[in-house]
């Protein structure tokens, strides 16, 4: 590895351990380097990284581990591969309710089984993936810190007169005889470079011209931004910093947003589809959504909020027409259009009671599915509601039961009282849906009574459906400003480092012979053009290509 | 200079250990959405209307052994375990035990008929909004939580309980 | 003539101009030794003609883009066809920028065929203007997609230059183990490109001939309650079925070269949407690509790489290396801005979270991590030349998988960009 002993340069400067190029004159210090004439390795200006020490202890070793770019690249590649594996099968968090321990095996066979067993079905929330991110974050901090401070020092106190080997081993080099006085020649090229926005420092016949040094800080600013971003992401896991809830609100109703004092009302929900005229001929006849919109009103609860026996007192605080891409936003709380349910659900029917014996019809009466009225007076008869089944079925013992609370197959048990009937009434079972009536043979159940009475909905107008439901995703995310801040810093640093290049030109004149070396961290092509143009300015014509120090070609 | 540097190194490592440890710990231990509260944790708070017309809160039951049973008339397992719950409540009459049955969003008639049919002697709460079951992370019914007098969960039973399951747990609960 | 018809005409014009641009770049490279002028003079003259024709193509492409925008009412970046055409346009834009900096005519010899292939590939997808679904009705459709594609376009130029570097430097005469390995991989890269060309040509050839076959496929699934549900679906093929869908019946099938029956059945584990059709298409592409490759080999009587290598003889390898790196370095911030930051902003507005580990998001992150590694390899580990060029080539494979592969192979929220 590095030769740690010989750190004193021939110019007399004492360099820290691990220095590649003398901090003062730029003379190469590594053993064997002096005899070489290949272009110098100018990375970090040849400075010693902070962590390089001759006898490291445990802390130093850990520090060195994280300060190595090689390790950083490995971490990046491992993260990349892990992220790839996580996209092979759908991750657990994409499902709302399922059993991952059987799903993957059933669906993908033994590969799926192992995918689940190895924890890849939840890659991005797994401890080892988080560990990788933490390690990358650590590496970002330590790598940057280890390099930026020495680099700052090196660039801040630059020697103008460099060793001639330092100059001739740059990638852009010019040597040639000069005419006239040495200092005058240097000054005149200095003037040329000033015009190209260089900052020029002259020391007798030696010169250092430099521009866009700030671009060297770009990568570090970028890293700071990334660290801020990662910390902001971590903030989100603090209790109370991020909330993620879903509410389903039927048109016209108001519901409480769980865990908050807010209530939200759905005044109207609209779905629009593109008309055939708006669709290209390949898509005509298909239903393509144009708009999902919830006209929402947000309330806060001012009193009686936590007592279900009282109505909460609500105060309107905000209203907004929520569409996809335009959520409601109030004091950090956001409500997003997430979905809807417009499958028709029975809400109420308005049936009539027909007495076949007399041929008379009584009613209609309003029978709602949810919390119906218990007695109905129809002419001489009274209907008492005894039992309801929202999703009628027969259980294993043949007893009536309900499969769910959704009115998929509603059934009502009435007791009919009135003239010519038993004193405590006679039971009658009513299925509002025609197909249920046939499926569960209503007339058989009701027996003799079915011949006399019939409850039925006379027309479609007697059927009411529940309003469309919208589902909204309610979020608060207090870390968002920090996330955007981190991203912005990172982006600024990246742009600084990418679109500007740090350029330096050194020259010295020894015995009427000029030696010019130029360095840039990227775009040597532009560097050469600029040097050639400056030389042309004082009457020295060189093809940019000839400035290329081609000795690195193998 | 040297000392300063060592200090910076230590501060950074400490920061990494704290923040990184928190991040990793969070990924391992954080309760995910849709998960049942774990044994030893405190069940989420609720305030619900009972069939008696009064508001019942979880905090009302502090200091007593509490069984929270989520049920619906449409769930066969709930129906079969109801008589056993009734019997248990009768058996431990006078002891500091409360049983609370939280109905899953059915209307008053369904609930009232059911209460009458099975002579339910313990507290029945209605939860039309269905938000409590979500808070409790229920995935299937019935699910029963056994809460110790100190307010922590002793056990969670998913599915219909046999009389033995119920008896064992309630006895243990009363001893704690 | 409506604006949209005009727009599609402009697209065809752009395609042919790009083809001509490519041809002229070919003449620029090939004609050096044949023409009576000095090689430098020849390259300068023909390089300028080729560049001019390519610029005309770009102008036609811009015309296509803006007339389609005006005619369709929204920016044409909302489905696979529109996105791929935009990507091709962005690659031309990136090429113009890089060419303005470095003035290397022969970069066009590699960039233009890439543009031609992507334009042709775009035309495989349905081309009608589809009105925007609610999720896409946002200003971020313009901002996110265009910046992300521009970043990717610079990566594409980096790829073109990287491939050029490899073809320039890999010595096809050497027989050392290392040289042989490099030769094989360069040749394999070219073979893959030929397969892609074959895929596009097969689709158009059979589409031109009006080939059709359709099947009904029965899917049996068992739900939670243990009840068997079977659904039947119709699967349409536009290429002759080498593989028919698993458990399917032929409804109608045109004969092809005497082939009246599908040859094989897709194995049952290939479920997925249209898995069988994709397998069939891939099989056709590989068969036709191999035939095409064999024909080219026969005509050239040497490896394709060995044939291209001498054309690049007098280009400075270091310059191409720098062009490849520079294109990527220019594209990297643009990509990060478009594909990650703008994507996060839009995701936050539309889906309520800035990051959700959706496959497309993950692959954008993978692409970003990949190029991050590339830059660190180059800047801190000093990976130049061949290593760097290989990374640029592989990087573009990652980019293309993110753009196309994710939609075809994986599922997720970006499904509307599918086929």
């Amino acid at each position: 590895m590095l030769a740690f002993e010989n750190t004193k340069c021939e110019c007399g400067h004492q360099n820290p351990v691990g220095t590649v190029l003398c901090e003062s004159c730029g003379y190469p210090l590594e053993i064997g380097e002096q005899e070489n004439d290949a272009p110098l390795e100018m990375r970090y200006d040849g400075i010693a990284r902070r962590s390089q020490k001759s006898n490291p202890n445990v802390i130093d070793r850990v520090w060195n581990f994280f300060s190595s770019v090689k390790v950083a690249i490995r971490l990046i590649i491992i993260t990349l591969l892990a992220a790839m594996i996580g996209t092979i099968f759908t991750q657990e968090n994409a499902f709302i309710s399922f059993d991952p321990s059987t799903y993957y095996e059933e669906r993908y066979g033994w590969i799926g089984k192992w995918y689940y067993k190895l924890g890849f079905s939840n890659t991005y929330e797994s401890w080892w993936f988080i560990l990788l991110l933490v390690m990358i974050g650590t590496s970002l901090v330590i790598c940057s810190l280890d390099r930026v401070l020495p680099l700052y020092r090196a660039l801040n106190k630059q020697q103008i007169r460099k060793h001639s080997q330092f100059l001739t081993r740059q990638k852009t080099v010019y040597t040639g005889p000069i005419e006239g006085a040495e200092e005058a020649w240097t000054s005149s090229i200095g003037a040329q470079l000033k015009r190209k926005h260089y900052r020029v420092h002259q020391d007798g016949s030696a010169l250092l011209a430099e521009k866009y040094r700030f671009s060297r800080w770009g990568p570090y600013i970028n890293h700071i931004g990334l660290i801020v971003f990662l910390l902001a992401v971590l903030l989100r896991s603090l209790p109370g910093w991020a909330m993620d809830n879903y509410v389903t609100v039927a048109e016209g109703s108001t519901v409480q947003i769980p865990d908050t004092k807010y209530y939200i009302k759905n005044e109207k929900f609209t779905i629009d589809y593109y008309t055939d005229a708006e669709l290209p001929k390949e898509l005509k006849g298909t239903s393509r959504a144009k708009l999902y919109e919830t006209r929402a009103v947000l309330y806060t609860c001012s009193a009686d909020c936590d007592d279900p026996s009282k109505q909460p007192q609500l105060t309107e605080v905000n209203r907004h027409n929520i569409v996809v891409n335009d959520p409601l936003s109030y004091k950090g709380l956001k409500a997003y259009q997430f979905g809807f349910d417009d499958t028709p659900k029975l809400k109420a029917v308005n049936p009539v009671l027909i007495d076949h014996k007399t041929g008379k019809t009584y009613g209609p009466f309003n029978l709602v599915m949810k919390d119906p009225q218990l007695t109905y007076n129809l002419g001489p008869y009274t209907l008492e509601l005894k039992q309801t089944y929202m999703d009628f079925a027969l259980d294993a013992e043949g007893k009536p039961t309900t499969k769910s609370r959704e009115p998929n197959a509603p059934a009502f048990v009435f007791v009919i009282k009135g003239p010519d009937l038993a004193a405590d009434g006679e039971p009658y079972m009513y299925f509002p849906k025609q197909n249920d009536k046939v499926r569960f043979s209503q007339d058989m159940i009701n027996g003799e009574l079915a011949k006399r009475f019939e409850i039925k909905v006379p027309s479609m107008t007697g059927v009411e459906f529940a309003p469309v439901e919208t589902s909204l995703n309610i979020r608060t995310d207090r870390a968002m400003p920090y996330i955007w801040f981190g991203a912005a810093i990172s982006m600024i640093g990246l742009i600084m480092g990418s679109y500007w290049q740090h350029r330096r030109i050194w020259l010295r004149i020894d015995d009427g012979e000029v030696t010019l070396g130029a360095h840039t961290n990227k775009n040597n092509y532009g560097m050469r053009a600029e040097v050639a143009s400056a030389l042309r300015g004082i009457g020295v014509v060189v093809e940019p290509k000839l400035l290329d120090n081609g000795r690195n070609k193998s | 200079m040297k000392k300063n540097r060592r200090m910076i190194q230590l501060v950074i490592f400490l920061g990494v250990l704290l923040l990184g440890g928190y991040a990793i710990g969070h990924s391992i231990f954080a309760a995910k959405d849709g998960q049942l509260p774990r044994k030893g944790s405190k069940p989420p708070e609720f305030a619900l209307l009972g069939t008696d017309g009064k508001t019942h809160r979880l905090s009302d039951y502090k200091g007593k052994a509490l069984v929270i049973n989520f049920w619906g008339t449409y769930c066969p397992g709930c129906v079969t375990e109801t008589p056993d719950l009734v019997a248990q409540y009768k058996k431990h009459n006078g002891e500091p035990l409360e049983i609370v049955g939280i109905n899953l969003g059915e209307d008053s008639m369904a609930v009232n008929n059911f209460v009458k049919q099975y002579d339910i002697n313990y507290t029945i709460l209605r939860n039309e909004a269905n938000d409590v079951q979500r808070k409790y992370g229920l995935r299937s019914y019935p699910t029963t939580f056994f809460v110790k007098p100190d307010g922590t969960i002793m056990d969670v039973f998913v599915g219909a309980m046999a009389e033995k399951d119920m008896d064992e747990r309630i006895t243990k609960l009363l001893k704690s | 003539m409506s604006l949209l018809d005009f727009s599609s005409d402009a697209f065809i014009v752009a395609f042919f101009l790009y083809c001509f641009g490519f041809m002229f770049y070919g003449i620029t490279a090939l004609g050096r030794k044949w023409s009576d002028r000095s090689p430098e003079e020849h390259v300068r003259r023909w390089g300028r003609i080729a560049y001019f024709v390519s610029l005309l193509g770009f102008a036609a492409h811009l015309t296509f883009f803006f007339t389609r925008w005006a005619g369709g009412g929204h920016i044409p970046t909302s489905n696979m066809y529109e996105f791929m055409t935009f990507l091709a346009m962005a690659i031309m834009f990136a090429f113009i920028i890089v060419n303005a900096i470095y003035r290397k005519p022969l970069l066009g010899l590699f960039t233009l065929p890439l543009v031609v292939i992507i334009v042709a590939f775009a035309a495989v997808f349905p081309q009608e203007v589809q009105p925007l679904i609610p999720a896409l009705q946002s200003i971020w459709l313009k901002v996110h997609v265009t910046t992300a594609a521009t970043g990717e376009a610079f990566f594409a130029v980096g790829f073109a230059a990287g491939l050029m570097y490899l073809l320039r430097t890999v010595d096809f005469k050497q027989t050392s183990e290392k040289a042989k390995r490099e030769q094989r991989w360069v040749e394999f890269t070219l073979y893959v490109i030929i397969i892609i060309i074959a895929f596009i040509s097969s689709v158009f050839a059979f589409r031109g001939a009006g080939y059709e076959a359709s099947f009904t496929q029965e899917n049996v699934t068992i739900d939670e309650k243990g009840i068997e549900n079977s659904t039947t679906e119709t699967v349409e093929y536009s290429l002759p079925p080498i593989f028919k869908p698993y458990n399917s019946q032929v409804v109608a099938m045109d004969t092809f070269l005497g082939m009246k029956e599908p040859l094989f059945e897709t194995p049952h584990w290939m479920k997925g949407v249209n898995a069988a059709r994709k397998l069939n298409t891939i099989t056709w592409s590989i068969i036709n690509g191999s035939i095409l490759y064999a024909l080219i080999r026969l005509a050239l009587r040497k490896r394709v790489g060995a044939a291209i290598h001498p054309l690049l003889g007098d280009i400075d390898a270091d310059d191409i290396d720098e062009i490849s790196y520079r294109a990527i370095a220019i594209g990297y911030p643009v990509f990060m801005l478009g594909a990650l930051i703008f994507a996060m902003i839009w995701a936050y507005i539309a889906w309520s979270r800035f990051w959700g580990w959706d496959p497309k998001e993950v692959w954008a992150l993978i692409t970003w991590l990949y190029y991050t590694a590339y830059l660190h390899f180059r800047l801190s580990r000093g990976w130049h030349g061949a290593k760097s060029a290989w990374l640029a080539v592989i990087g573009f494979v990652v980019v293309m998988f993110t753009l196309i592969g994710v939609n075809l192979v994986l599922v997720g929220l970006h499904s509307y960009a599918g086929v």
Side-chain angles (χ1 to χ4, degrees):
Chain A
M1 241 201 90
L2 297 169
F4 282 122
E5 296 82 27
N6 188 19
T7 55
K8 187 162 181 170
C9 176
E10 59 173 39
C11 72
H13 184 82
Q14 181 63 52
N15 291 293
V17 173
T19 305
V20 181
L21 302 174
C22 171
E23 287 177 349
S24 175
C25 71
Y27 190 61
L29 297 174
E30 285 180 326
I31 292 172
E33 261 300 304
Q34 284 103 338
E35 289 75 42
N36 202 336
D37 73 343
L40 293 170
E41 183 52 71
M42 288 289 288
R43 234 183 278 161
Y44 317 117
D45 264 38
I47 49 152
R49 283 191 280 124
R50 276 178 67 118
S51 62
Q52 286 168 323
K53 286 177 78 179
S54 35
N55 51 341
N57 65 16
V58 181
I59 292 178
D60 292 324
R61 278 173 202 278
V62 179
W63 186 272
N64 285 349
F65 175 79
F66 281 111
S67 77
S68 151
V69 175
K70 204 192 226 167
V71 169
I73 296 176
R74 281 187 190 155
L75 287 172
I76 290 173
I77 291 175
I78 295 169
T79 312
L80 183 156
L81 293 175
M84 270 187 195
I85 293 170
T87 60
I88 297 176
F89 297 138
T90 314
Q91 296 282 296
E92 283 177 34
N93 61 8
F95 299 95
I96 292 161
S97 85
F98 79 122
D99 185 2
S101 58
T102 54
Y103 172 83
Y104 289 97
E105 189 174 357
E106 272 168 23
R107 186 156 173 145
Y108 305 108
W110 64 271
I111 303 175
K113 184 175 151 190
W114 281 99
Y115 193 79
Y116 173 73
K117 275 198 174 166
L118 294 172
F120 290 121
S121 61
N122 207 8
T123 304
Y124 309 112
E125 271 102 50
S126 64
W127 65 268
W128 52 270
F129 195 80
I130 307 284
L131 177 70
L132 277 173
L133 295 183
V134 168
M135 284 172 83
I136 287 184
T138 313
S139 163
L140 277 172
V141 174
I142 294 179
C143 273
S144 306
L145 209 60
D146 225 34
R147 288 170 177 78
V148 71
L149 295 176
L151 184 66
Y152 176 79
R153 257 190 299 123
L155 293 179
N156 219 18
K157 46 160 200 186
Q158 290 183 69
Q159 188 78 17
I160 296 169
R161 185 177 293 274
K162 290 281 184 183
H163 197 282
S164 61
Q165 223 195 83
F166 178 79
L167 301 190
T168 55
R169 288 177 64 182
Q170 292 301 325
K171 281 201 174 155
T172 302
V173 174
Y174 171 75
T175 50
I178 60 154
E179 284 156 26
E182 295 184 349
E183 282 200 31
W185 197 92
T186 309
S187 301
S188 63
I189 194 154
Q192 286 294 326
L193 290 170
K194 261 186 195 144
R195 246 195 266 161
K196 296 182 185 299
H197 312 291
Y198 279 85
R199 268 191 256 163
V200 178
H201 310 275
Q202 197 173 343
D203 173 12
S205 64
L207 173 139
L208 161 64
E210 183 178 13
K211 73 173 175 185
Y212 304 146
R213 190 200 283 177
F214 69 89
S215 81
R216 288 298 275 273
W217 315 126
Y220 304 103
I221 293 172
N222 169 254
H223 289 174
I224 291 170
L226 292 175
I227 292 161
V228 172
F229 183 88
L230 288 175
L231 289 177
V233 171
L234 194 57
L235 271 183
R236 298 178 73 244
S237 65
L238 290 177
W241 276 71
M243 179 190 77
D244 180 10
N245 266 320
Y246 293 87
V247 291
T248 304
V249 200
E251 206 171 68
S253 60
T254 307
V255 301
Q256 186 181 11
I257 298 169
D259 309 321
T260 66
K261 60 183 190 337
Y262 293 108
Y263 284 71
I264 196 158
K265 181 176 184 186
N266 169 7
E267 284 196 330
K268 185 169 169 45
F269 178 74
T270 318
I271 319 169
D272 267 357
Y273 294 96
Y274 285 102
T275 59
D276 266 359
E278 291 169 300
L279 289 172
K281 63 175 188 298
E282 293 85 347
L283 293 174
K284 286 194 199 302
T286 59
S287 62
R288 191 177 176 87
K290 187 180 187 178
L291 175 77
Y292 305 119
E293 184 192 61
T294 305
R295 251 192 249 164
V297 188
L298 188 74
Y299 302 95
T300 55
C301 179
S302 46
D304 302 328
C305 309
D306 193 23
D307 191 342
S309 60
K310 292 176 191 153
Q311 279 295 315
Q313 291 174 28
L314 302 179
T315 326
E316 181 179 329
V317 289
N318 196 317
R319 60 169 59 230
H320 186 76
N321 296 343
I322 304 174
V323 297
V324 185
N325 280 311
D326 187 13
L328 175 148
S329 177
Y330 178 74
K331 287 189 181 169
L333 180 118
K334 285 179 188 271
Y336 295 83
Q337 185 62 53
F338 179 74
F340 64 93
D341 184 0
D342 64 348
T343 49
K345 274 189 217 117
L346 212 51
K347 183 191 174 200
V349 284
N350 295 305
V352 292
L353 178 71
I354 302 167
D355 184 347
H356 285 305
K357 213 163 99 183
T358 59
K360 278 188 182 162
T361 300
Y362 307 98
F365 61 101
N366 185 249
L367 179 62
V368 297
M369 298 298 126
K370 201 174 171 184
D371 283 329
Q373 199 182 312
L374 295 181
T375 46
Y376 303 85
N377 294 313
L378 298 163
Y381 302 105
T382 310
L383 301 186
E384 284 177 15
L385 185 58
K386 288 295 173 196
Q387 182 65 288
T388 60
Y389 303 96
M390 283 300 105
D391 197 350
F392 185 85
L394 294 172
D395 68 10
E397 294 161 30
K399 281 198 235 155
T401 181
T402 180
K403 279 193 289 189
S404 73
R405 55 204 161 197
E406 300 298 331
N408 296 329
F412 296 83
V413 180
F414 294 103
V415 167
I416 307 181
K417 287 181 182 170
D420 302 340
L421 290 167
D424 48 358
E426 291 180 28
Y428 184 94
M429 191 155 201
Y430 169 54
F431 292 90
K433 285 189 177 173
Q434 186 57 37
N435 60 342
D436 295 338
K437 185 176 172 177
V438 177
R439 188 153 61 114
F440 298 113
S441 31
Q442 178 183 315
D443 290 345
M444 288 260 288
I445 297 171
N446 292 330
E448 282 299 307
L449 207 58
K451 290 182 187 134
R452 174 151 176 211
F453 291 111
E454 187 181 1
I455 299 179
K456 75 176 215 184
V457 179
S459 70
M460 267 317 282
T461 53
V463 181
E464 294 168 38
F465 289 100
V468 184
E469 286 177 338
T470 183
S471 71
L472 300 173
N473 183 197
I474 313 283
R475 291 239 182 192
T476 55
D477 220 332
R478 286 169 61 196
M480 285 323 287
Y482 305 99
I483 284 181
W484 300 138
F485 178 70
I489 298 282
S490 159
M491 207 54 231
I492 289 168
L494 192 55
I495 288 171
M496 271 169 65
S498 302
Y499 297 142
W500 280 272
Q501 302 103 35
H502 183 209
R503 288 178 176 179
R504 274 177 300 172
I505 298 169
W506 299 270
L507 72 85
R508 57 185 286 167
I509 301 174
D510 304 279
D511 309 323
E513 177 89 5
V514 64
T515 312
L516 181 149
H519 174 256
T520 180
N521 54 345
K522 55 177 83 74
N523 193 4
N524 282 302
Y525 192 88
M527 183 82 246
R528 290 197 296 268
E530 202 158 59
V531 171
S533 153
L535 286 172
R536 205 177 313 120
I538 58 163
V540 182
V541 179
V542 238
E543 266 292 303
K545 191 71 209 172
L546 293 176
L547 295 171
D548 186 6
N549 180 359
R551 277 171 296 194
N552 60 331
K553 276 184 203 154
S554 43
Chain B
M1 177 67 203
K2 268 253 161 76
K3 239 185 167 169
N4 215 348
R5 178 150 117 193
R6 180 46 45 98
M7 272 301 287
I8 292 173
Q9 288 191 340
L10 288 175
V11 167
I12 288 175
F13 280 135
L14 202 71
V16 165
L17 282 180
L18 278 174
L19 293 169
Y22 174 75
I24 294 165
H26 189 81
S27 78
I28 298 176
F29 298 112
K32 304 247 160 48
D33 285 350
Q35 266 185 2
L36 297 171
R38 281 190 316 274
K39 287 176 198 174
S41 67
K42 284 194 189 323
E45 185 59 49
F46 60 77
L48 291 171
L49 208 56
T51 42
D52 55 2
K54 287 187 200 128
T55 300
H56 296 253
R57 288 167 206 277
L58 177 65
S59 51
D60 298 346
Y61 298 98
K62 223 173 184 174
K64 283 183 181 173
L66 177 66
V67 177
I68 307 172
N69 174 246
F70 286 91
W71 68 280
T73 61
Y74 50 84
C75 126
C78 309
V79 177
T80 57
E81 69 181 10
T82 301
D84 294 330
L85 279 169
V86 173
Q88 283 289 332
Y89 195 59
K90 204 176 273 169
K91 181 176 151 193
H92 296 288
N93 192 12
E95 287 174 76
L97 173 77
E98 286 297 333
I99 299 181
V100 168
I102 300 182
N103 176 264
L104 300 161
E106 289 176 286
D107 67 8
S108 56
M109 180 154 74
V111 175
N112 291 338
N113 278 339
F114 192 79
V115 168
K116 244 184 274 166
Q117 190 185 341
Y118 286 91
D119 276 329
I120 295 177
N121 47 3
Y122 52 88
T123 314
I124 292 290
L125 306 179
R126 288 183 53 208
N127 181 210
E128 274 189 82
N130 270 320
D131 53 339
V132 175
Q133 61 156 317
R134 220 174 298 147
K135 270 193 201 167
Y136 276 70
L138 245 62
R139 281 218 183 137
S140 60
Y141 327 117
T143 298
T144 309
F145 294 84
F146 295 87
V147 186
K148 290 194 282 197
D150 67 356
T152 58
I153 297 174
M154 184 194 83
D155 201 2
V156 183
F157 197 102
V158 180
M161 289 180 287
E163 202 191 337
K164 194 173 128 257
D165 299 322
M166 213 181 282
D167 198 55
E168 265 171 17
R169 285 175 177 77
I170 289 178
T171 314
K172 202 172 147 202
L173 199 61
L174 282 168
K175 277 189 194 141
S176 63
Chain C
M1 190 158 106
S2 82
L3 216 46
L4 287 176
D5 292 335
F6 177 72
S7 176
S8 1
D9 291 346
F11 183 68
I12 293 164
V13 170
F15 175 75
F16 282 107
L17 284 170
Y18 287 149
C19 288
F20 284 125
F22 172 43
M23 264 162 53
F24 292 146
Y25 275 116
I27 294 171
T28 312
L30 281 169
R32 254 176 327 193
K33 286 169 192 143
W34 310 332
S35 77
D36 41 4
R37 285 187 207 85
S38 76
E40 291 81 29
E41 176 64 19
H42 171 87
V43 168
R44 196 169 333 123
R45 193 190 162 94
W46 277 95
R48 207 175 291 156
I49 294 173
Y51 187 59
F52 179 71
V53 172
S54 310
L55 279 185
L56 280 182
F58 184 61
H61 204 153
L62 282 172
T63 313
F64 153 77
F65 180 75
F66 286 107
T67 48
R68 189 176 168 99
W69 190 338
H74 61 83
I75 187 170
T77 52
S78 70
N79 59 23
M80 208 41 144
Y81 166 73
E82 292 176 345
F83 179 78
M84 292 316 288
T85 54
F86 184 82
L87 180 69
M89 198 167 88
I91 294 175
M92 274 308 290
F93 170 74
F95 165 66
I96 290 167
I97 298 279
V98 174
N99 197 51
I101 301 174
Y102 290 99
R103 308 205 173 280
K104 293 279 168 208
L106 285 186
L107 182 60
L109 184 64
F110 287 80
T111 315
L112 274 155
L114 183 65
V115 171
V116 168
I117 289 174
I118 292 177
V119 166
F121 178 71
V124 169
F125 297 96
Q127 298 177 20
E128 71 274 3
V129 175
Q130 299 162 344
L132 295 180
I133 56 169
L136 293 179
Q137 294 164 7
S138 167
I139 173 140
W140 293 99
L141 175 67
K142 300 183 192 88
V143 181
H144 157 64
V145 181
T146 51
T147 24
T150 309
E152 282 147 358
F154 278 98
F155 293 158
V157 173
F159 155 76
L163 186 61
M164 188 168 158
Y165 179 90
L166 292 171
L167 285 162
R168 160 73 182 77
T169 55
V170 170
D171 192 344
F172 278 83
K173 291 194 186 75
Q174 276 192 9
T175 51
S176 74
E177 203 46 53
K178 183 174 167 285
K180 271 188 178 163
R181 196 172 59 231
E182 279 194 318
Q183 290 161 14
R184 269 200 296 275
W185 279 109
V186 170
E187 198 62 13
F188 178 73
T189 310
L190 295 170
Y191 173 65
V192 171
I193 294 171
I194 289 169
I195 285 180
I196 293 165
I197 296 170
F199 159 71
I200 298 166
S201 333
S202 319
V203 169
F204 282 109
F206 284 109
R207 192 182 284 176
Y211 186 87
E212 274 172 7
S214 68
F215 303 87
T216 52
Q217 181 181 20
E218 198 176 344
N219 285 312
V220 181
T221 51
I222 297 170
D223 67 9
E224 304 131 20
K225 290 167 193 145
I227 298 163
E228 272 190 22
N229 290 314
S230 71
T231 50
T232 49
E233 272 176 275
T234 315
V235 185
E236 305 275 349
Y237 276 39
S238 56
L239 297 179
I242 297 173
F243 285 96
K244 69 168 188 171
Y246 174 70
N247 203 11
S248 65
Q249 306 303 321
V250 179
V251 175
M253 182 180 157
D254 298 344
T255 53
F256 171 71
L257 296 179
M259 186 169 116
K260 287 180 194 139
E261 283 287 310
L263 299 178
F264 304 101
E265 184 169 9
T266 309
H268 68 94
W269 47 267
M270 292 190 78
K271 288 168 183 168
V273 188
N274 295 325
R277 186 172 60 197
K278 287 172 193 168
L279 176 71
N280 192 51
T281 308
I282 290 169
T283 314
W284 267 109
S285 307
I286 292 176
I287 293 173
N288 287 350
S290 304
I291 294 171
L292 186 60
Y293 177 77
L295 289 176
I296 294 172
R297 275 292 283 274
L298 271 177
L300 293 172
R301 289 186 195 164
K302 54 182 150 189
R303 276 175 288 183
V304 183
I308 300 174
H309 176 70
L311 299 181
L312 308 169
D314 55 355
I315 302 176
D316 188 314
D318 278 354
D319 282 350
I320 325 173
D321 178 49
E322 177 153 333
I323 290 173
S324 171
Y325 160 63
R326 198 65 198 298
I328 290 170
I330 293 172
Y332 180 77
V334 181
F335 178 80
M336 176 169 165
L337 188 68
L340 294 177
I341 295 180
F342 287 161
M344 285 195 281
I345 297 175
W346 192 10
Y348 182 60
I349 294 171
W351 296 330
S352 79
R353 81 290 184 293
F354 68 96
W355 194 261
W357 298 106
D358 173 71
K360 195 84 168 182
E361 287 174 339
V362 177
W363 275 92
L365 178 69
I366 290 171
T367 310
W368 182 76
L369 285 174
Y370 182 88
Y371 282 103
T372 307
Y374 169 90
L375 291 175
H376 283 84
F377 268 130
R378 181 142 185 139
L379 295 173
S380 296
R381 307 284 320 152
W383 278 31
H384 290 249
K387 282 174 178 173
S388 172
W390 275 118
L391 285 179
V393 170
I394 298 165
F396 191 60
V397 177
V398 177
V399 169
M400 287 325 264
F401 187 81
T402 307
L403 295 182
I404 306 163
V406 172
N407 296 73
L408 297 187
V409 181
L410 308 170
V411 284
L413 288 168
H414 279 75
S415 53
Y416 42 74
V419 254

